[in-house]
Amino acid sequence: MLSPKAAELVRATLPAVGAELETITARFYDTMFADHPELLDGLFNRGNQRSGEQRKALAGAVAAFAGALLNSPGERPDALLARIAHKHAAVGVTDDQYVIVHKYLFGAIAEVLGEAVTPDVAAAWDEVYWLMAGALIAMEARIYAEAGARDGATWRPWQVVERREETADAMSLVLRPVGDDPVPPARPGQYVSVRVTMPDGVRQLRQYSVSGHGADGHRSITVKRVRAGERPEGEVSTLLHATVREGDELTLSAPFGDVALEDGDAPLVLVSAGIGCTPIAAMLRHLADTGSGRRVLVLHADRARADHALREQMERLTDALPGGERLFWYESGEGDRAGLMDLAGVEIPEGAIVYMCGPVAFMRAARAGLIGAGVAPRDIHYEVFGPDLWLAAA
């Protein structure tokens, strides 16, 4: 909880700080990486730095946390913090890095806002930062402990035992752990980080949902190649598609992610678009393996049948569930429904719990349709691949 004086100053300055947060975070990253280029080697995603997505997500998170402290002073926004903490754990953030971030973030605030940052204002926002950082450090310590690791040391080698071409731009890699150390279990819907060395020698990390698992301890990830277009070509996905073969080893983190399927009896609605089907496929596998009798409605949208990664797996697993039902939308007109996903006329089970994954614009539209169909907002859970720009735009 903020002190009364700090709360008053943060409330008074939040509009000014919020209006400049993207400028502040851009300056923060520029100065921090100039002094600590090693942070781009194996920690920060330089693709998100180039696109500006990371600074937008950071700005949105800081503004949302400050707003939560002001609007609900007796509560901690754990849902917001848990999402960030899992993302941090997936890349191996350590406690000491919060000190580095503090130095450069507050330097950027002072530089951008100038004389408006009086000592009292700086002290008030310092309270905000350390409340957020302290909560994240505590959460990340628990997450690391659950993964059997300390201070970000969650990495281990996995060997590729099979490569499957799912579509022209998506492949699945079946992996087995190397060595005899115990492997932390992956909850259905969680993701792992893959760490690779790029041609220029810099290590980069990307997160991929665990799309399947086996009783033999094998895990699968499904990687979609990001082609150049409106966005730059995905450097890690392109490297993996071009170079990884059976027998190769990859370095993977333990599984993380706060959006994971919870057991229970309530009906489920699993919503996805494009490569967002990967965590949904893992949830379906878990439901089939446990013989679930829950009602499960699977809704997926894609450009065409040929672009739908894991289609056969999703069909087979849904059909294996006694309460399973599926509807696929393809823009090409080949599916159960033609065009973009439209929930008008779709019977959404009463009391349903929803898990969804896909592009942010898609999930916004799907969420509106689900709420319109009577689903409680608290029962809609979503996963964003990359920085959470939904939060940033909220």
Side-chain angles (χ1 to χ4, degrees):
M1 183 181 297
L2 283 172
S3 66
K5 180 179 179 180
E8 180 182 349
L9 286 168
V10 170
R11 190 181 302 278
T13 56
L14 181 57
V17 173
E20 297 292 344
L21 264 176
E22 280 197 45
T23 303
I24 290 168
T25 53
R27 182 60 183 161
F28 152 69
Y29 282 120
D30 286 346
T31 55
M32 183 174 68
F33 291 141
D35 289 351
H36 293 276
E38 73 278 4
L39 294 176
L40 281 171
D41 182 11
L43 185 62
F44 282 92
N45 180 326
R46 61 185 179 184
N48 291 335
Q49 293 299 322
R50 285 193 293 265
S51 70
E53 290 185 353
Q54 187 62 60
R55 66 173 178 265
K56 290 178 182 178
L58 175 59
V62 171
F65 183 78
L69 292 179
L70 296 174
N71 297 328
S72 302
E75 302 174 14
R76 191 176 71 177
D78 279 353
L80 162 68
L81 294 170
R83 181 174 295 269
I84 298 170
H86 276 272
K87 294 286 187 182
H88 284 182
V91 300
V93 168
T94 55
D95 297 0
D96 59 303
Q97 289 163 347
Y98 282 94
V99 178
I100 297 173
V101 167
H102 176 269
K103 173 184 175 181
Y104 290 97
L105 181 60
F106 275 74
I109 290 173
E111 185 173 335
V112 172
L113 297 181
E115 294 180 358
V117 185
T118 65
D120 284 347
V121 169
W125 281 95
D126 195 65
E127 277 195 43
V128 173
Y129 178 82
W130 285 113
L131 281 171
M132 187 172 186
L136 288 172
I137 288 169
M139 282 187 172
E140 287 155 23
R142 289 195 297 271
I143 293 168
Y144 284 137
E146 290 168 2
R150 295 182 62 186
D151 296 329
T154 70
W155 305 96
R156 68 177 297 162
W158 291 68
Q159 186 178 48
V160 178
V161 297
E162 183 183 354
R163 170 175 169 152
R164 294 196 299 261
E165 306 300 325
E166 304 286 358
T167 70
D169 283 322
M171 66 165 179
S172 290
L173 300 174
V174 182
L175 304 141
R176 68 170 181 83
V178 176
D180 299 324
D181 292 338
V183 176
R187 298 173 62 201
Q190 290 191 306
Y191 50 81
V192 295
S193 289
V194 177
R195 185 171 67 194
V196 297
T197 301
M198 304 308 297
D200 62 0
V202 174
R203 294 174 301 169
Q204 283 287 280
L205 313 179
R206 296 296 184 272
Q207 286 74 50
Y208 298 102
S209 296
V210 177
S211 55
H213 64 272
D216 51 10
H218 291 183
R219 282 182 185 157
S220 300
I221 59 172
T222 303
V223 180
K224 181 178 180 179
R225 177 168 41 206
V226 179
R227 293 191 179 274
E230 294 181 2
R231 301 176 54 172
E233 184 175 82
E235 60 174 345
V236 173
S237 67
T238 298
L239 181 73
L240 292 174
H241 272 263
T243 64
V244 175
R245 298 292 182 267
E246 292 179 11
D248 291 346
E249 287 190 3
L250 292 174
T251 302
L252 270 64
S253 74
F256 298 103
D258 64 316
V259 180
L261 180 65
E262 298 288 347
D263 292 328
D265 299 321
L268 293 170
V269 180
L270 307 179
V271 185
S272 58
I275 201 61
C277 65
T278 51
I280 301 303
M283 294 179 185
L284 286 170
R285 172 62 66 88
H286 174 77
L287 292 166
D289 286 350
T290 56
S292 175
R294 299 170 79 169
R295 183 176 178 187
V296 181
L297 176 59
V298 180
L299 308 175
H300 180 78
D302 230 308
R303 290 189 177 89
R305 180 184 176 90
D307 295 319
H308 183 172
L310 307 179
R311 175 183 56 79
E312 292 182 2
Q313 180 177 330
M314 292 177 71
E315 290 176 342
R316 182 180 70 256
L317 293 171
T318 305
D319 293 347
L321 297 172
E325 180 184 355
R326 54 184 164 84
L327 281 174
F328 295 161
W329 281 257
Y330 296 137
E331 294 176 41
S332 62
E334 303 166 278
D336 304 302
R337 306 266 176 113
L340 303 177
M341 184 180 289
D342 182 357
L343 297 183
V346 177
E347 181 186 349
I348 304 298
E350 184 177 353
I353 306 296
V354 177
Y355 294 89
M356 63 179 178
C357 186
V360 170
F362 163 81
M363 291 196 294
R364 282 199 186 103
R367 182 176 185 274
L370 290 162
I371 292 173
V375 179
R378 68 177 180 276
D379 291 330
I380 301 176
H381 309 282
Y382 72 92
E383 182 61 82
V384 173
F385 291 160
D388 191 345
L389 298 184
W390 191 344
L391 170 65

